[in-house]
Amino acid sequence: MQPVISLKDIRVTLGQNFSLSVESLVLEPHRIYALTGPNGAGKSTLLRVMALLLSPQAGTIEFAEGDSRDLARQRQRVTLVEQTPYLFEGSVTDNLNFGLKLRGINSKERSERIRATLAIVGLEGFEHRRAKELSGGEVQRVALARALVLKPELLLLDEPTANIDSNSLQAYEALLSGLPEYGVTVVFSTHDPSQSKRL
């Protein structure tokens, strides 16, 4: 089976005090991967490299079945959810519609995708809820839904449970562990070694 993404001889230097080096990293499809390590180890930097938001000074990044020179097409195959996601003002539907409209998806398919994706993340019936009325855990789920509705091949999550209270943690981890069933490869960063073992 062809890897979703392959990194080779990656080097990123930021300022005078930080350097990230990845000799080889190959991710198989429909799996969940954890990036672990203390703060400052380079987890977020590596995620941004894989999301094609940060260009390494050296090395190659290849996606399955695609022209690596077509950056716009490659970026559509991967989505990054930041540690503290920003939701647009308006409703949950407004947030999920944004990327779909940019990709030219028609209104009927947008509605179907939004309804199905909200069900995946456990937010059925939230279509008309206002973003500013959501709890911290609900914001994380809407941000996750906004990424999933685009049907990326590779979903990158930077410390996805950092802002989730302990009461919601178990349910959110269960949600994350089931995502590969929907045809997506997941990479999440965490400084908690026990979380990577659980997932």
Side-chain angles (χ1 to χ4, degrees):
M1 193 174 285
Q2 197 169 12
V4 173
I5 190 172
S6 303
L7 282 70
K8 186 168 178 58
D9 298 326
I10 296 293
R11 191 182 75 250
V12 179
T13 302
L14 301 173
Q16 307 242 336
N17 302 315
F18 179 83
S19 180
L20 174 70
S21 178
V22 179
E23 185 177 320
S24 177
L25 178 63
V26 178
L27 302 183
E28 301 296 330
H30 310 155
R31 296 191 181 178
I32 185 165
Y33 295 90
L35 293 177
T36 61
N39 290 336
K43 302 184 298 296
S44 298
T45 300
L46 181 54
L47 289 174
R48 291 182 65 77
V49 168
M50 287 194 284
L52 305 177
L53 298 174
L54 178 63
S55 297
Q57 281 92 4
T60 58
I61 304 167
E62 292 184 0
F63 284 86
E65 302 170 9
D67 184 349
S68 59
R69 294 165 298 181
D70 187 354
L71 196 58
R73 172 70 187 109
Q74 301 294 6
R75 280 194 171 131
Q76 289 191 355
R77 304 171 85 158
V78 56
T79 304
L80 171 66
V81 179
E82 301 278 5
Q83 179 176 340
T84 307
Y86 173 81
L87 295 187
F88 307 124
E89 288 200 21
S91 68
V92 169
T93 293
D94 293 335
N95 274 272
L96 272 64
N97 253 328
F98 184 77
L100 295 174
K101 284 181 177 176
L102 285 179
R103 295 186 184 194
I105 307 295
N106 68 57
S107 61
K108 183 180 180 206
E109 185 178 346
R110 290 201 309 266
S111 296
E112 290 170 359
R113 279 204 202 182
I114 288 170
R115 189 165 47 253
T117 305
L118 288 177
I120 290 170
V121 302
L123 293 178
E124 300 97 328
F126 271 63
E127 288 89 344
H128 303 296
R129 287 280 297 274
R130 310 301 291 176
K132 63 184 178 184
E133 297 169 353
L134 301 175
S135 69
E138 289 166 350
V139 166
Q140 288 293 131
R141 285 175 182 259
V142 170
L144 180 59
R146 188 171 60 186
L148 284 174
V149 79
L150 300 175
K151 297 188 176 180
E153 295 168 31
L154 181 62
L155 176 63
L156 309 173
L157 306 170
D158 194 4
E159 299 274 0
T161 59
N163 299 313
I164 292 180
D165 62 71
S166 56
N167 295 328
S168 306
L169 181 61
Q170 188 174 356
Y172 195 83
E173 286 184 348
L175 166 61
L176 292 184
S177 66
L179 289 179
E181 296 174 19
Y182 298 99
V184 64
T185 298
V186 179
V187 182
F188 72 96
S189 65
T190 180
H191 60 269
D192 179 1
S194 65
Q195 184 176 57
S196 62
K197 290 187 176 74
R198 288 194 299 274
L199 292 174

